Each structure stands twice: as C-alpha cells, then as structure tokens.
Amino acid sequence: MKQKQKYTSLEKAWILYDVGNSAFVLLVSTIIPIYFNYLSESAGLSSVTYLAYWGYAASVATLAVAFIGPVFGAVADTKNYKKKIFLVTVLVGVIGCIAMGIAATWLGFLVIFVIAKIGYSASLVFYDSMLHDVTTPEKLDEVSSQGYAWGYIGSCIPFIISLGIVLGAEPLGLSMQTAMGISFAVVAVWWIVSSFPLLKNYRQIHYVENTPGLVGKSFRRLWETLKGMKDDRKILLYLLAYFFYIDGVYTIIEMATAYGTALGLDTTGLLLALLVTQIVAFPSAIAFGKFTEKYPSENLITICILAYTAIAVYALFLNSQLQFWILAVCVGLFQGGIQALSRSHFAKLIPPQKSGEYFGIMDICGKGASFIGTALVGFVSQVTGSTNQGVAVLAVVFVVGLVLFRVSVRIKK
C-alpha cells in the first residue's frame, strides 16, 4: 500500500491562512450582528428593519468585490504581483476589523463593516487562486478541504476568547463598546499573525510575464477570457450553477445570527449553537476531502446542494432554540464540503496561469452573488413581515443551482 504523502510547509502555510481569515467570518456571523443589533436598538430601529439594513450592508460589500475581484485578479496573475495585492487586501480587512470597535453609531459601524468585508472577500480571490501554486493537481480536493476544516476549528479559539470578553463585560467592569473593541482587536491580531507563514513562503509559480502597460494588458486579458468563456460551456454553466447555490450558502452564513436574533431567540444560545456548527464542520470538511478518493467531487457537491435545499425549507418552520440548534448542526455537516469541493472543482477546470482572473470571475458568481441572497432575504422579510419566509425563499436558488450544476457535469471538457 502506498504511503500517503505528508503536507508540505507551503501547503500548511496556505491552510493556516484559512485559520486566520475564518476568525473574521465567525465574528461576522455571530458577534458583529449582535453588536449591530445593540446599536440599532439604541437608535430605535425595529428587528425587521435591523435585519434588512444588515442584509443590505452585506450586499454592498459583496457587490463591490464582484466588480474589483476580476480586475485585481487579472493584475495579480502577472509575475510577482499576486502576493503584493494579497497583502494589501489582508491589511484593509485587519485594520477595518479593529476600526469597527471604535464606531459608536449603527451607521458608522455599517460603513466600516463594509470596508472590512471588502478587504476580507478580496483577499480570498487571491488566496483561492494560490491553490495551484501551493499543491499538486492530485491533492487539490484534499488540500482545499483541509483549509476549510482547520479554518472552522481554528477560528473557534479567538471566538471563544471574544465571547468570554463580551459575556463577561459587566463582571469585568467593561462597557459593551469596550468589550466589543477588544474582541475585534483579538480577531484582527489572530488574522494577521496567521497570514505571516503564507506571506513569507509563497512563490508565484503560474503567471503571465510582466510587460509594459500592465493594467491595460490585464484588462485586455480579462476581456479575452470573458469572451472565450461563451465557447466553454462547461465552465460557463458551472459558474452559473455556482452563482445560485453558493448564493444561498453564503447568505445563510452571513445572516444566521441576525435571523435568530430577529426571531427573538436567546443570544447566548445562538452563539453556542453557531460554535457547534464550527466544531461539526471540522471533521465533516475533512471527511468530504477523503470521500473524493472514492467518489467524484461532482456527486458530493450534488449531495451538499440537496442538503442545503432541505435546510432552507426547514427554516420556514423554525421558531425555537432547539430547532435553531438542529439547523446549526445540519449546516455544519455540509458547509465545509460544498465550499471546499466547489473551489477545487473549479481549479481543475481552469488554466493555472490565469487562476487569478478566473477566481476573480468566480467571486462574481460567489460572494458577489450573495448580493442577491442577502437582499432577497431582507426584501421578503420586510414585505411579508416574516423572517422565516425571508430565509425559506433561498430554497428556490438552491434548486436552480442544482439543475444547472448537473447540466454542467454532463458536458465533456
């Protein structure tokens, strides 16, 4: 039996960045919405209005990245540029994370949040595109899954510290704003420190040569790629499918705590339930990576989409703490699998030397697509007056994504 190859130091450094940035993701899906709720209630906003404004802010951030991602990605494909632009986006996210603790009004907080979210989301365009440079084609699925898996479990450490500070603010003699500011700083430090190994060791292997007129030529390459995609139906249909199904995934991640809070569920219970999501997602993501040794990744992605469709329908009937806990566990079982395998599945379809611009385009169909999901949840919630119906409407986008994905799978490359 062939001995399994261990992970290289570069693969480990790449995985470690997921540990760092995932702390911000967990903050966004748990503590940050609660603090925004605190600020909005102080200003007299209703729970439905609070959920809508939170959804609109998340949509603005993701829409911005949808526009800048492909352009920056095309520039980053140029020799020796990927790491530089990656560093800038990380710093924008980290500094924004710290700055959120300074905001004292709900509007100021939302503005800073949008900037920090743009930095975080843009960094992932370059991080994802590094996958071809840090590992071999045979290990794409497994390394991608390891990144998400360790990101889930690793992010729990700063989250537990932050949660302890927030919940223990009164005994410690801290105001809510001070406790939140410390929590944001803890996450920011965790994020930047986890970035150091990748920034130190990464070398861009697949690239386009640096020639005069860099920006102009990057735009032309991007335009040629976009024009050429109409003839590559497999990639085009996959991106359309991804646009829909990952839209629902990211919307659920971003609005989970806001949704539970709007339903009037206990805040501490919500946070602990989402912590369980991270813990469950750790072995689940690793398992999906191992499953690719026996089953095609497209079949595993199909299972994940079906599971998320059922989760969205289940949200229609959710009205208790126990039901929210069940929802959190179910999300944890499939969240890592669908994200990790979608990333590696796409990496197999694209030319490595154009990974930056292709992942930038993918980001339009991914985090950029959640502009629709978050806005849709906010809109339906306001129109119907029901947050349950707002979240349940996501089942439609999952079904559309599933149909398109299966069509793309049947197309021969």
Side-chain angles (χ1 to χ4, degrees):
M1 184 177 177
K2 185 178 178 180
Q3 187 176 6
K4 192 168 183 59
Q5 183 181 358
K6 294 182 179 180
Y7 298 111
T8 65
S9 59
L10 184 55
E11 288 170 341
K12 291 177 182 177
W14 186 85
I15 291 169
L16 185 61
Y17 181 71
D18 227 325
V19 174
N21 75 71
S22 293
F24 179 73
V25 178
L26 190 54
L27 195 73
V28 169
S29 60
T30 54
I31 295 177
I32 288 179
I34 291 173
Y35 185 47
F36 176 59
N37 185 43
Y38 165 79
L39 294 174
S40 62
E41 280 187 348
S42 300
L45 298 182
S46 69
S47 61
V48 171
T49 302
Y50 142 75
L51 182 65
Y53 283 162
W54 180 250
Y56 296 149
S59 298
V60 169
T62 51
L63 186 61
V65 176
F67 282 108
I68 67 176
V71 177
F72 280 15
V75 174
D77 281 332
T78 306
K79 186 177 181 180
N80 297 326
Y81 269 79
K82 188 168 291 184
K83 183 160 70 172
K84 295 175 184 177
I85 302 178
F86 173 67
L87 174 60
V88 171
T89 58
V90 171
L91 290 176
V92 169
V94 169
I95 294 172
C97 185
I98 295 174
M100 280 190 292
I102 303 173
T105 64
W106 68 268
L107 182 58
F109 182 85
L110 275 190
V111 171
I112 298 172
F113 164 72
V114 167
I115 295 172
K117 187 69 162 41
I118 289 173
Y120 156 76
S121 298
S123 78
L124 292 187
V125 173
F126 313 113
Y127 171 68
D128 289 346
S129 71
M130 291 176 181
L131 188 56
H132 271 296
D133 291 331
V134 302
T135 191
T136 61
E138 296 77 21
K139 296 174 69 178
L140 287 173
D141 286 325
E142 186 174 353
V143 172
S144 180
S145 297
Q146 288 286 332
Y148 274 109
W150 287 102
Y152 289 134
I153 200 69
S155 63
C156 292
I157 297 174
F159 171 73
I160 291 172
I161 295 173
S162 299
L163 186 60
I165 294 171
V166 172
L167 297 180
E170 189 173 340
L172 293 171
L174 302 174
S175 66
M176 174 63 78
Q177 185 174 353
T178 300
M180 286 293 180
I182 296 173
S183 298
F184 296 154
V186 167
V187 170
V189 171
W190 180 271
W191 186 358
I192 193 65
V193 170
S194 298
S195 307
F196 288 156
L198 183 58
L199 289 168
K200 178 183 178 182
N201 299 317
Y202 174 74
R203 297 293 181 272
Q204 192 170 352
I205 298 174
H206 303 285
Y207 53 79
V208 176
E209 287 292 343
N210 190 356
T211 56
L214 169 64
V215 176
K217 289 186 176 179
S218 296
F219 269 104
R220 283 194 290 275
R221 285 202 318 271
L222 177 60
W223 177 244
E224 290 300 319
T225 297
L226 288 171
K227 286 198 303 182
M229 282 178 59
K230 71 177 184 297
D231 299 319
D232 194 332
R233 293 183 64 242
K234 190 174 185 67
I235 290 181
L236 183 60
L237 280 172
Y238 173 71
L239 287 175
L240 286 174
Y242 184 77
F243 179 95
F244 284 99
Y245 76 73
I246 210 68
D247 172 17
V249 173
Y250 283 125
T251 301
I252 288 175
I253 292 172
E254 292 187 1
M255 303 193 72
T257 303
Y259 170 49
T261 302
L263 288 174
L265 304 181
D266 175 66
T267 298
T268 303
L270 292 177
L271 292 177
L272 292 175
L274 292 171
L275 179 60
V276 169
T277 297
Q278 300 295 109
I279 296 172
V280 171
F282 170 60
S284 178
I286 292 178
F288 271 103
K290 300 293 184 183
F291 289 158
T292 58
E293 297 175 5
K294 294 184 178 181
Y295 309 104
S297 60
E298 52 264 30
N299 290 353
L300 298 173
I301 292 173
T302 298
I303 292 172
C304 290
I305 299 174
L306 288 170
Y308 262 99
T309 305
I311 287 170
V313 174
Y314 176 72
L316 185 63
F317 308 100
L318 193 152
N319 58 16
S320 72
Q321 191 83 259
L322 176 60
Q323 290 174 322
F324 190 88
W325 276 74
I326 295 173
L327 180 73
V329 171
C330 291
V331 168
L333 287 172
F334 299 98
Q335 182 173 297
I338 197 168
Q339 289 179 297
L341 296 183
S342 294
R343 176 167 62 187
S344 55
H345 181 79
F346 186 65
K348 297 171 189 175
L349 301 178
I350 64 174
Q353 72 276 13
K354 289 187 173 184
S355 59
E357 61 183 84
Y358 269 98
F359 271 103
I361 295 169
M362 187 184 188
D363 205 65
I364 294 179
C365 304
K367 293 180 180 63
S370 64
F371 161 76
I372 295 177
T374 50
L376 185 62
V377 171
F379 176 74
V380 174
S381 295
Q382 279 192 311
V383 170
T384 64
S386 169
T387 52
N388 292 75
Q389 293 184 39
V391 176
V393 74
L394 294 175
V396 176
V397 300
F398 284 121
V399 171
V400 174
L402 176 61
V403 172
L404 291 171
F405 179 69
R406 294 311 305 176
V407 173
S408 73
V409 168
R410 295 189 182 97
I411 297 175
K412 300 298 181 182
K413 184 68 175 173

